[in-house]
Amino acid sequence: MATMSIVGVQMLESSDQPVLMLGQAWTTRFLLVWVDAQVAAALFSAADPDSQDDPSLRAYELFARALAATGEHELSGRITGWSDGVFSAELVIDGEPVPGRLSDIAVLSHTMGFPLECPDELMAQLAVEAFEDENDVVEEFRSFLDEVEADDFGEENP
């Protein structure tokens, strides 16, 4: 299982819809999750320490407080699948899975500090690399050096 965390929310140039970026710990692999404007706003407010002074509770804040009021719980989040462009996920409370939207579970994971995990098979299928693999860059540079000629750089002007 890959441990995931919220990296950010972006607007892709090709779409007017916000995208939640979940990053795998210690790698450059990400899952991109299309979310609605309301979820994007919740994510922004969860990341903003000044929003904690706002007296109006958002749904995820209300849920987090209500759950905390019932005592200590063992919590985790799991991405369980992907079908027709939609991720499925579950919040696990004391070993009992509760299905929910991945974006909601990710916000709760972020604000409450519990782990969010994704099966390795799903990561292999759906994750995107943020950066080129270092070996690819080195190989490309070696290929360039093999083919380059001094004349390719023109004359120096002292």
Side-chain angles (χ1 to χ4, degrees):
M1 290 285 239
T3 301
M4 309 299 292
S5 63
I6 293 176
V7 175
V9 177
Q10 298 289 321
M11 294 293 281
L12 296 183
E13 291 179 23
S14 61
S15 169
D16 288 336
Q17 191 172 3
V19 175
L20 168 63
M21 297 172 25
L22 295 175
Q24 181 181 1
W26 311 108
T27 73
T28 57
R29 296 188 330 158
F30 295 87
L31 288 179
L32 303 180
V33 182
W34 275 254
V35 296
D36 60 30
Q38 185 177 12
V39 171
L43 289 163
F44 283 124
S45 70
D48 181 10
D50 293 335
S51 74
Q52 304 309 317
D53 298 331
D54 185 355
S56 60
L57 288 178
R58 287 149 193 89
Y60 73 91
E61 293 169 320
L62 176 63
F63 180 79
R65 289 184 185 183
L67 188 61
T70 64
E72 290 290 318
H73 297 280
E74 184 178 324
L75 302 172
S76 65
R78 284 193 297 240
I79 301 170
T80 56
W82 188 78
S83 178
D84 297 324
V86 178
F87 285 96
S88 55
E90 57 192 19
L91 172 64
V92 182
I93 305 171
D94 297 328
E96 293 296 322
V98 178
R101 294 189 315 178
L102 174 55
S103 56
D104 293 334
I105 293 169
V107 171
L108 285 171
S109 169
H110 179 77
T111 57
M112 297 180 76
F114 61 79
L116 176 62
E117 296 182 324
C118 180
D120 294 329
E121 306 82 46
L122 215 54
M123 287 299 292
Q125 179 185 2
L126 300 172
V128 295
E129 285 286 336
F131 305 102
E132 290 182 340
D133 183 46
E134 185 177 329
N135 293 332
D136 292 345
V137 173
V138 170
E139 192 57 41
E140 183 178 336
F141 185 67
R142 283 184 181 149
S143 176
F144 167 75
L145 290 176
D146 289 342
E147 296 174 13
V148 72
E149 300 285 333
D151 295 338
D152 292 338
F153 295 101
E155 291 185 32
E156 282 190 38
N157 293 327

